[in-house]
Structure formats: C-alpha cells, structure tokens
Amino acid sequence: MRDRFPLVIVGGLLLVGVLGAFLLQGARRGAFADRLSTFRSEPDGARALFLVLEAQHLEVTRSQQRLDLIEPGQPLVLLGARFAEDRDEHRKAFDGSDAGVDGDDDDDDEQQQAFHDRGFSALHATPLDEEERTKLLEHVRNGATVVYAPWGARDNPFLDELDVTLVKPSEDLGLRTLVPAQPSRFTVGVQTLEAPVQAFLDLPVGAVPLLIDAELEEVVAAVLPWGQGRVIILGAPELATNRHLTKADNARFWSSLVGTLSSHAHPLAFDEYHHGFKGDRSMGEFASRYGLQDAVGQLLFGLALWALALRRFGRPRAPAEALRVGSTDALFATSRIYREGHHCAHAANAICRELALELAPRAGVAVNASTDELLAGLTRRGRADLAEALARVTRAAETASADDDVRTVATLAAVARRQLHQPRGRLTP
C-alpha cells in the first residue's frame, strides 16, 4: 500500500475533479429544458411550480407520452404547447430563413433569439399533430379538464375549435396586475396576481371569466365548458414561470387550481412530451442530450488508471510460488539438521514449550511458569483433561531420543490442542 501511495493521491484528486464536474453539469442541466417545462430551472422555466405543488402534497405528475395515449379522465396542463400548424413559423424563426422577407429585421432577430433562449430541448420539442388535437378534444368532451396556456397570441386550431380568439396586447404594457373576475374554487385565497400578459381572450357564449386585467378589465383566463369536461384557458402563461411565481398570489392561484383539479385517482399531469421529454427516448439520444458520452469516457479513463495502479513501485517482490517453495525447502532443511545432528530431545522439548505457551492463558498463570504450576492451574480451573494431556506430552518429551519419539510427542501435542479448541464432550477419540 505504501508503494502505491502516489497513485492513491492522484486517483483521489481525479475523483474530486470528476465529482465536481458532474455537480456543475447537474446544476446546468435545468437550462437544457424547453421554456415553461417543469424540468427547466431557468427564470422562464416552471420547475419551481412543480416542486412547490409537490411540497404541498398535491397530486401532480409529469406526462412524457403522446396525448392520444392519455388515461381517460386524466387532467392535463399544457404550458406553451404548440400545434403542428405553427411548426413552419417556428422553424423559420430558428434558422432565420425568413429574416428580412417582410422588411422587419428587428422582429425576426428578436424572434430568432427568443427561440435560442428556450433551451436545447426545444430542438426536440414536437408540436401537437392533428391526431393528438382530435384526441385532446375528445378527451375533454368525455369529462376531463385541460389547462391550456398558449405562448403568444397566434391563433391555433385547438382554440379555433373552441371558438376562442386571442387578442394580442400592446407591447408596452409590461407587468400587469390581474384579479379574479368572480369568486370561484379556482381562485380561493387569491386577491391579486402579477405577470405579463401574452394574450387577452375573446370568449364565446357560455365561457366563464376567471381572471381579468385590473386596469383594462380584459379577460386573461377563463373556464370554457366543452361536452362533459372543461378547458381552462390562461392568456398569461408566465404566471407559472420561476421568475414570477413568488409575486403577489401567483403561487396561491396554482395551489387552488391544482387542488381543485387533481385527485388521488387522477393526478394533474404537466405535459412534457411536447417540451422534448419523451418516455420512449433511446439510450443514444439520452447520452447525446445530457453528455453521458463524457461519463463513458471518464469511466474508460478510470479503468485505465486502475490498470496503471496494478503496477507496483519499489523493489520487486518474489513470486508467491517462489515464497511457498522456499518456505518448504527451509522446513525440510531444518528437519534434516535436527535428524543429522540427533537433536531429537531438543525438538521434543520445543514442541512441549509451545504447547505450554498456548495452555498458560487457560490455566491463568504466567507464560514462563513451570510445568507443575501450569498443571495445577489447569486442574484448579476444571480442565484436568488438558492437565493430563500436557503431562503426557512432558513425559514423552523427557524420554525422546529418536525420530519416532519426536513424532509421538508431536501427535500427543496435536491431540492436546484439539482438546483446547473444541468444546468439552465433542472431542472425538
């Protein structure tokens, strides 16, 4: 271990560096998600909203599948979800292919920059296609509730089906103060809300205003019955963002809304499929998206470092086989010296002394005690069997004069050791 200490230090420093890199990458990961995604921790994300609702023990979840696979009765929240008809417009805004066509370069640049700011997962975000839109309307018609917060004031086929028109507010309005249009279960405890308004609502007959602009008295949110269900349309999607959640009663509004809509059987599901988070994502897509290929590279580097650590610093050690053979040769050489020198009595007495050292703690005497003291101590402690075995070994060692006598002493000592280490009554004869 001492010879490998430099590698341990280097490996520890590399481990700290890798863990620190993973920590920083995890902290930045919230910026990869799309705008208004509950995974995004940037100011225009909705991660704080989801965490607050979870902390209040409200039944919320994330949906990462197409809307034509939703469970019947499942309440949904679509924050800034796009429809297929808007795809071309957004793609042009991303690659700048329509910049300057209408002579409005500033607007095109702002739109392109806004799309870049949405996060990398916006590139993977798919709009709702016609089949999903049809299933979504059928889902509502069968009794479900959908909260839809469109981003911007562009018309889309979903709102066209509901006969709802979005009216774009003036660009210089800025932060608006919103108030409940009337008492409702969705606005319990809510007095004022503060957020920018993306669109005012022009509602059909039967719709119930939920929130209005305190100054302009324009409708910002409404509940629209549809079949056996209902659609809650929110023209201020930034009420859900991390930037504005702490203002006024914004968080209280979402608590009341979610508490009214969710249940244990049907938790309120925030749509993440159309923010680029798909449950059927392959491992390759996941790795390329979150940089796990770097983790694989670090793993390979760690394996290479481990292989290098197998190398030893310092003087070379003898192979294990050489040590075993050398020990065996030394034992045979020692035994040959004893036989050739006729040291049988000395070998027998050495065996007897080693046995006495092992029995001394059991007898409660010092290790240098005499044989008589050792026998008395064993008898006093109720181990007369060990005292008798030691006496036999001692007598045999005193008369040893040949190899057979040494073998007899060793055999008697082995029997005594078995008596010492086995419970009484279980010793085999």
Side-chain angles (χ1 to χ4, degrees), residues 5 178 189 312 330:
F5 183 73
L178 312 178
R312 181 180 175 275

Side-chain angles (χ1 to χ4, degrees), residues 137-383:
L137 289 170
E138 182 180 352
H139 184 68
V140 176
R141 189 179 293 108
N142 291 335
T145 299
V146 171
V147 179
Y148 177 47
W151 186 272
R154 291 182 302 273
D155 294 334
N156 59 64
F158 180 69
L159 293 180
D160 290 343
E161 290 283 348
L162 301 177
D163 198 21
V164 175
T165 302
L166 300 179
V167 180
K168 185 177 180 180
S170 175
E171 295 181 358
D172 57 356
L173 284 182
L175 194 69
R176 305 302 299 169
T177 299
L178 312 178
V179 296
Q182 54 190 320
S184 68
R185 293 180 298 168
F186 306 113
T187 57
V188 175
V190 176
Q191 295 183 1
T192 60
L193 299 94
E194 293 182 0
V197 175
Q198 293 283 336
F200 295 123
L201 307 181
D202 187 2
L203 301 172
V205 177
V208 179
L210 194 62
L211 298 174
I212 61 174
D213 188 290
E215 181 180 353
L216 303 178
E217 297 186 355
E218 294 284 351
V219 178
V220 178
V223 180
L224 177 63
W226 184 261
Q228 298 180 10
R230 57 194 170 187
V231 178
I232 300 177
I233 306 170
L234 186 61
E238 293 183 75
L239 282 170
T241 59
N242 303 325
R243 179 188 294 112
H244 298 290
L245 188 64
T246 58
K247 295 179 180 179
D249 295 328
N250 294 4
R252 179 59 185 170
F253 167 71
W254 285 104
S255 298
S256 300
L257 180 66
V258 175
T260 302
L261 299 180
S262 63
S263 65
H264 183 70
H266 296 291
L268 190 67
F270 286 82
D271 172 55
E272 290 295 339
Y273 181 89
H274 299 94
H275 288 301
F277 293 91
K278 303 174 183 177
D280 57 351
R281 188 180 311 151
S282 66
M283 184 59 68
E285 290 175 331
F286 189 84
S288 62
R289 181 167 185 170
Y290 289 111
L292 292 186
Q293 66 272 21
D294 298 333
V296 174
Q298 291 168 355
L299 176 61
L300 295 177
F301 179 76
L303 291 176
L305 183 64
W306 173 76
L308 181 64
L310 295 179
R311 301 184 60 183
R312 181 180 175 275
F313 295 93
R315 292 179 300 175
R317 293 177 178 173
E321 184 68 17
L323 290 176
R324 185 182 65 80
V325 174
S327 300
T328 305
D329 292 343
L331 180 61
F332 276 116
T334 303
S335 64
R336 182 178 178 82
I337 291 173
Y338 272 90
R339 287 196 303 269
E340 295 295 335
H342 301 286
H343 300 300
C344 298
H346 177 75
N349 288 327
I351 294 174
C352 184
R353 285 196 303 271
E354 291 297 326
L355 178 62
L357 290 175
E358 292 187 36
L359 294 178
R362 184 60 59 92
V365 297
V367 294
N368 58 352
S370 64
T371 302
D372 294 337
E373 293 175 339
L374 190 57
L375 293 175
L378 290 172
T379 303
R380 185 171 58 253
R381 292 198 170 193
R383 293 308 303 264

